[in-house]
Amino acid sequence: MEIATLIGGIGIFLLGMTLLTDTLKKWAGTRLRHRLNQFTDGSLSGATLGAMLTTLFQSSSVTTLMTIGFVSAGLLTFTQSLPLVIGANVGSATTGWIIAILGYNLDVR
């Protein structure tokens, strides 16, 4: 039973990624491609974008899955996607610090 659940979960994940990729290929235009390439032109700008998106969405998983979808759809290259994923991890840590400093009024010294 556990193996069937695992295989079913992987199947649903792969189906979702396929649908995301197909939809991005259909709906993404030159404007989105241009903006993504503009924001991920350098490593620092790509990492900053990844951190900002993660802070905005409150989930590094969402940012990482969006990045995988963009690469699968051909909107980003693999090299451009790496700083985004690294930035997503930095954004997760940043969100925790924002909550700790602003939410609990902690003195971090």
Side-chain angles (χ1 to χ4, degrees), residues 43-55:
S43 296
L44 185 60
S45 63
T48 303
L49 178 64
M52 288 187 329
L53 288 175
T54 300
T55 304

Side-chain angles (χ1 to χ4, degrees), residues 27-42:
W27 288 92
T30 57
R31 190 177 199 175
L32 177 62
R33 183 184 309 268
H34 175 72
R35 290 290 183 203
L36 283 173
N37 285 323
Q38 180 183 4
F39 287 126
T40 59
D41 197 23

Side-chain angles (χ1 to χ4, degrees), residues 2-59:
E2 294 169 1
I3 298 292
T5 305
L6 176 68
I7 292 172
I10 291 172
I12 290 172
F13 172 75
L14 291 175
L15 174 66
M17 287 305 300
T18 302
L19 292 174
L20 175 69
T21 301
D22 291 343
T23 304
L24 281 172
K25 284 180 184 177
K26 256 188 240 179
W27 288 92
T30 57
R31 190 177 199 175
L32 177 62
R33 183 184 309 268
H34 175 72
R35 290 290 183 203
L36 283 173
N37 285 323
Q38 180 183 4
F39 287 126
T40 59
D41 197 23
S43 296
L44 185 60
S45 63
T48 303
L49 178 64
M52 288 187 329
L53 288 175
T54 300
T55 304
L56 177 71
F57 294 138
Q58 298 291 310
S59 174

Side-chain angles (χ1 to χ4, degrees), residues 36-38 40-41 46 67 75-84:
L36 283 173
N37 285 323
Q38 180 183 4
T40 59
D41 197 23
T67 303
L75 298 173
L76 288 176
T77 64
F78 179 72
T79 307
Q80 290 173 316
S81 70
L82 292 177
L84 278 170

